[in-house]
Amino acid sequence: MPLLVSPAPAPALRSVLAALGSPTAVREAHTPALRSVQGPLSLELPLPVHVLDRIVPTEAVPTTRLAGWRFLVRDGERTVAAADSVLTADGWTFSHFFEGPYLASTELAVSQAESATTPYQARLLSVPELYMLTLWLHEDTEDDAAGGALAPTDVLVPLSPAPTGITAHRPHRVAALLPVMSLRVGPPRLPGLPGVSGLLGSPA
């Protein structure tokens, strides 16, 4: 299989397993599908979640930061939720369970990537400026999954729902997609100028 899924750090996995085994954590989760499951659950497809805080199309190798690890929660062959573990000052800590369209979209993108002839390391890349999540196919399969170098030849597969003007599940080289992404972001605010809230004033 050309797609490499790196093992998650053991403490990150343990934090999610502990939450999954806690009736309180599951009961309080905003995931009806997870709460309704009666049988045993398993964690599959661990993926590091990186964040691209700013889109800079002229940057040769954009830098990302590792925000956490995401696991799919499965009831047999059915995915019912996802779970995130985040790195804090005290180490890896369970963050939350969630569900929604990104779950099925992630599975589809991974399935498509597995049929490719080029080997890649699988990651997730979040782009907050566009409310966008992508499957990041990192070309250097020997690289540390926590590393943040977004190489121009890496491939990004936007997950659904994707931003307007960007087609979900269509693979793009980073060098080709970054300029398109930059067009979807408003011009940067000049230093010293007020933002929208400053122009409108404080609410009464």
Side-chain angles (χ1 to χ4, degrees):
M1 183 175 69
L3 190 65
L4 173 66
V5 177
S6 303
L13 176 60
R14 285 197 299 268
S15 72
V16 175
L17 285 172
L20 201 59
S22 166
T24 301
V26 172
R27 185 173 59 251
E28 293 179 353
H30 299 292
T31 51
L34 179 61
R35 295 198 304 268
S36 65
V37 173
Q38 301 297 320
L41 298 168
S42 62
L43 297 178
E44 305 287 344
L45 195 62
L47 294 173
V49 181
H50 292 258
V51 176
L52 180 63
D53 289 306
R54 283 208 55 201
I55 301 171
V56 183
T58 57
E59 193 173 2
V61 182
T63 301
T64 71
R65 59 180 174 85
L66 179 66
W69 278 80
R70 178 163 298 171
F71 305 81
L72 294 186
V73 182
R74 285 185 176 153
D75 173 24
E77 296 299 317
R78 182 173 66 104
T79 298
V80 294
D84 279 2
S85 181
V86 296
L87 188 60
T88 69
D90 298 320
W92 288 99
T93 303
F94 168 72
S95 175
H96 64 290
F97 295 113
F98 65 95
E99 57 188 44
Y102 281 140
L103 273 64
S105 186
T106 299
E107 290 185 303
L108 175 58
V110 167
S111 177
Q112 291 172 333
E114 286 175 342
S115 65
T117 56
T118 304
Y120 290 107
Q121 182 192 85
R123 306 175 175 187
L124 291 174
L125 179 67
S126 172
V127 187
E129 286 182 298
L130 294 177
Y131 300 97
M132 177 181 177
L133 185 65
T134 74
L135 177 66
W136 173 7
L137 302 177
H138 189 49
E139 202 167 42
D140 186 354
T141 58
E142 300 297 322
D143 201 2
D144 184 350
L150 188 62
T153 53
D154 285 353
V155 174
L156 297 179
V157 183
L159 301 185
S160 179
T164 302
I166 296 177
T167 303
H169 294 285
R170 178 179 294 174
H172 302 268
R173 294 283 183 186
V174 167
L177 185 58
L178 275 181
V180 176
M181 292 164 60
S182 68
L183 295 176
R184 315 307 304 174
V185 180
R189 181 160 53 91
L190 296 176
L193 291 181
V196 174
S197 59
L199 291 173
L200 297 179
S202 302

